[in-house]
Amino acid sequence: MKIICIGRNYAEHAKELGNEIPENPVIFMKPDTAVLKKGSDFYIPEFSQDVHYELEVVLKISKGGKYIQEDKAANYFEEIGLGIDFTARDLQSQLKAKGLPWELAKGFDGSAVLSEFYKKADFDMKNLNFSLVKNKEEVQNGNTSMMIFPPEKIIAFVSQYFTLKTGDLIFTGTPKGVGKVSENDILEGFLEGKKVFDLRIQ
Ligand code: MG
């Protein structure tokens, strides 16, 4: 199983980090060891003083494919969930400044939090609301209509480079409002108003 992630897929988030709006999806990957075990707390790694939450809609690939056409791409995922793309922002900034890959800042153990997955058919993928609450206060609030590259475009783009396999996950990018986590924070993710995960920071 591989985890493909999209960067800068919401204009307001690209702006908040001082990045340009991309012409093509910005792609990076996390190894499968990045998935945080269900029910585990998230431990801030010792190599970062500035770990950020990024709440994202996650697609679960339901059949294999390569060179998937955009108009067929919706047939390649049946389930969706929410996830957090934890990011060591301080380390990422150092790597970006040197023109180096981001993997150390993005793919470390526990950096991929996942909710349960739900049938896509039960949601309007073009108008899906999701939000993150930190210590009882809403910090992120997104809607899939604000994506620069919607799921079909993402699948068509990445499958030109990587064969998609059943069970692969795609993190579709975060809306604005990313921020730092601290010890004892409680994060809660909501999909269309329903709580789909909660998480304690250590
Ligand atoms: Mg992200």
Side-chain angles (χ1 to χ4, degrees):
M1 183 268 277
K2 57 185 173 294
I3 305 170
I4 296 167
C5 304
I6 313 303
R8 305 172 193 166
N9 200 20
Y10 291 81
E12 293 296 317
H13 169 62
K15 268 194 240 167
E16 77 182 343
L17 294 184
N19 293 313
E20 287 177 12
I21 309 295
E23 280 174 38
N24 281 315
V26 174
I27 308 292
F28 60 93
M29 299 222 259
K30 292 178 188 269
D32 58 6
T33 46
V35 174
L36 186 70
K37 203 165 144 258
K38 283 251 167 0
S40 294
D41 295 345
F42 173 79
Y43 285 79
I44 298 171
E46 71 283 359
F47 53 75
S48 178
Q49 265 51 255
D50 193 23
V51 171
H52 280 198
Y53 53 78
E54 297 189 356
L55 181 71
E56 314 199 359
V57 172
V58 182
L59 317 176
K60 187 185 262 189
I61 296 298
S62 55
K63 63 174 174 174
K66 178 145 177 93
Y67 291 113
I68 298 164
Q69 296 300 305
E70 195 178 320
D71 62 351
K72 303 278 191 315
N75 300 329
Y76 286 77
F77 68 104
E78 301 292 339
E79 291 183 311
I80 59 156
L82 285 184
I84 296 180
D85 164 22
F86 273 122
T87 303
R89 193 72 72 202
D90 43 1
L91 183 52
Q92 187 195 27
S93 299
Q94 292 166 24
L95 294 166
K96 278 164 77 174
K98 293 180 187 161
L100 294 172
W102 304 350
E103 267 71 10
L104 295 177
K106 286 284 199 179
F108 56 88
D109 289 357
S111 63
V113 175
L114 294 169
S115 73
E116 298 297 328
F117 283 82
Y118 303 91
K119 271 193 277 174
K120 175 185 75 171
D122 292 340
F123 298 96
D124 179 358
M125 280 306 293
K126 292 187 166 50
N127 181 22
L128 186 66
N129 291 296
F130 57 103
S131 59
L132 186 71
V133 169
K134 184 175 103 168
N135 305 333
K136 302 287 176 200
E137 199 176 312
E138 186 175 278
V139 288
Q140 284 192 287
N141 182 328
N143 184 289
T144 51
S145 66
M146 292 149 62
M147 287 181 174
I148 299 168
F149 304 102
E152 293 78 9
K153 277 205 160 61
I154 294 169
I155 288 171
F157 182 80
V158 299
S159 69
Q160 296 175 76
Y161 299 85
F162 310 123
T163 297
L164 295 180
K165 291 175 150 182
T166 303
D168 286 348
L169 300 175
I170 301 181
F171 278 66
T172 57
T174 195
K176 73 171 157 59
V178 301
K180 183 178 176 174
V181 289
S182 306
E183 207 177 317
N184 295 322
D185 282 348
I186 302 283
L187 300 180
E188 298 169 287
F190 292 84
L191 185 60
E192 289 295 358
K194 182 191 167 205
K195 186 154 97 172
V196 293
F197 70 80
D198 53 23
L199 180 66
R200 177 181 288 275
I201 309 299
Q202 300 278 11

